[in-house]
Amino acid sequence: MLSTRTRVPFGHALRLVLASLLVVIAFAATMTVTDAHEHREVGEYSLEVGFIEEPALVNQPNGLFLSVTMHTGEESDATAEAGEEEGEEGPPVEGLEETLQAEISNGAETKSLELRPIFDTPGAYTADVFPTATGAYTFRIFGTIEGMEVDESFTSGPETFSEIEAVDDIAFP
């Protein structure tokens, strides 16, 4: 009986695995990964803002990530030792898609975004974004949180969240 299965020489398979590994390493080396969002205390609330997908890439679907929680009013031991006044995060704040608005801007261009809750993640919201230029972007969150006026801007950068990066170094073919 003839076998229809073709055997790949060990050397060829090893070269294929090594080439794949090099592609992964090259991808990781060319991207500046920012795994943090910007956290900001606003009154009795904690806001976390960034892109849904980071690193954020030009001409790739992405979105705003917004999370809002209340402070518990209690400091953690680590926060107290560091001399910070920031309280621990408390319960999520839901229903803000009705009272908050969001905008995104890049340079002189600004666009309104439609906030919606993230399914099964209380206090978290998103809005679709398809960035078409590299560089820094600013999210503006404004309106009210449980009656408190809010107007905060969050700009991407090395200390906050991912700027939009080119895909040239990783694009194939």
Side-chain angles (χ1 to χ4, degrees):
M1 187 182 276
L2 293 175
S3 172
T4 59
R5 194 165 83 167
T6 305
R7 298 192 78 163
V8 177
F10 178 75
H12 181 67
L14 182 60
R15 282 192 297 272
L16 184 61
V17 169
L18 289 175
S20 298
L21 184 59
L22 284 173
V23 169
V24 170
I25 291 170
F27 174 76
T30 61
M31 302 307 298
T32 55
V33 176
T34 306
D35 60 356
H37 292 138
E38 182 176 350
H39 297 262
R40 187 175 301 169
E41 308 307 320
V42 179
E44 299 177 0
Y45 304 95
S46 175
L47 278 65
E48 178 183 347
V49 171
F51 283 106
I52 289 282
E53 297 293 330
E54 294 191 24
L57 302 173
V58 71
N59 294 323
Q60 298 297 311
N62 210 321
L64 162 69
F65 174 82
L66 168 65
S67 173
V68 181
T69 58
M70 292 196 66
H71 291 298
T72 62
E74 300 173 11
E75 294 182 14
S76 67
D77 291 340
T79 303
E81 287 175 15
E84 299 174 6
E85 296 179 14
E86 187 176 306
E88 291 182 15
E89 290 185 8
V93 182
E94 298 183 71
L96 297 180
E97 70 277 10
E98 301 294 327
T99 63
L100 284 180
Q101 296 179 47
E103 293 177 341
I104 189 170
S105 61
N106 174 261
E109 301 290 325
T110 299
K111 179 179 177 82
S112 294
L113 301 174
E114 185 177 334
L115 279 178
R116 68 181 185 281
I118 296 176
F119 177 74
D120 209 24
T121 309
Y125 305 87
T126 191
D128 297 326
V129 175
F130 193 91
T132 58
T134 59
Y137 281 69
T138 299
F139 288 114
R140 178 177 171 230
I141 309 298
F142 59 101
T144 60
I145 300 175
E146 298 182 329
M148 183 186 82
E149 292 288 325
V150 174
D151 192 348
E152 298 287 324
S153 293
F154 300 82
T155 302
S156 61
E159 303 298 319
T160 55
F161 55 96
S162 179
E163 291 187 356
I164 301 299
E165 299 179 27
V167 296
D168 296 342
D169 293 337
I170 62 170
F172 180 82

Coordinates of all heavy atoms in Angstrom, one line a residue, residues 11-23:
G11 N 15.7 19.0 8.5 CA 16.4 20.3 8.3 C 15.4 21.3 7.7 O 15.5 22.5 8.2
H12 N 14.6 20.9 6.8 CA 13.6 21.9 6.3 C 12.6 22.3 7.3 O 12.3 23.5 7.4 CB 12.9 21.2 5.1 CG 11.9 22.1 4.4 ND1 12.3 23.2 3.7 CD2 10.5 22.0 4.4 CE1 11.2 23.8 3.3 NE2 10.1 23.1 3.6
A13 N 12.1 21.4 8.1 CA 11.1 21.7 9.2 C 11.8 22.6 10.2 O 11.1 23.6 10.7 CB 10.6 20.4 9.8
L14 N 13.0 22.4 10.6 CA 13.7 23.2 11.5 C 13.9 24.6 11.0 O 13.7 25.6 11.7 CB 15.1 22.6 11.9 CG 15.9 23.4 12.9 CD1 15.2 23.4 14.2 CD2 17.3 22.7 13.1
R15 N 14.2 24.7 9.7 CA 14.4 26.1 9.1 C 13.0 26.8 9.1 O 12.9 28.0 9.4 CB 14.9 26.0 7.7 CG 16.4 25.7 7.6 CD 16.9 25.9 6.2 NE 16.4 25.0 5.2 CZ 16.9 23.8 5.0 NH1 18.0 23.4 5.6 NH2 16.3 23.0 4.1
L16 N 11.9 26.1 8.8 CA 10.6 26.7 8.9 C 10.2 27.2 10.3 O 9.7 28.3 10.4 CB 9.6 25.7 8.4 CG 8.1 26.2 8.2 CD1 8.1 27.3 7.2 CD2 7.2 25.0 7.8
V17 N 10.5 26.4 11.3 CA 10.2 26.8 12.7 C 11.1 28.0 13.0 O 10.6 29.0 13.6 CB 10.5 25.6 13.6 CG1 10.5 26.1 15.1 CG2 9.4 24.5 13.4
L18 N 12.4 28.0 12.7 CA 13.2 29.1 13.0 C 12.8 30.4 12.3 O 12.8 31.5 12.9 CB 14.7 28.8 12.7 CG 15.4 27.8 13.6 CD1 16.7 27.4 13.1 CD2 15.4 28.3 15.0
A19 N 12.4 30.3 11.0 CA 11.9 31.4 10.3 C 10.7 32.0 10.9 O 10.5 33.2 11.1 CB 11.7 31.1 8.8
S20 N 9.8 31.2 11.3 CA 8.6 31.6 12.0 C 8.9 32.3 13.3 O 8.3 33.4 13.7 CB 7.6 30.5 12.3 OG 7.2 29.9 11.1
L21 N 9.8 31.8 14.1 CA 10.3 32.4 15.3 C 10.9 33.7 15.1 O 10.6 34.7 15.8 CB 11.2 31.4 16.0 CG 11.7 31.9 17.4 CD1 10.5 32.0 18.4 CD2 12.7 30.9 18.0
L22 N 11.7 33.9 14.0 CA 12.3 35.2 13.7 C 11.2 36.2 13.4 O 11.4 37.4 13.7 CB 13.3 35.0 12.6 CG 14.6 34.4 13.0 CD1 15.5 34.1 11.7 CD2 15.4 35.2 14.0
V23 N 10.2 35.8 12.7 CA 9.1 36.7 12.3 C 8.4 37.2 13.6 O 8.2 38.4 13.8 CB 8.1 36.1 11.4 CG1 6.8 36.9 11.3 CG2 8.7 35.9 10.0

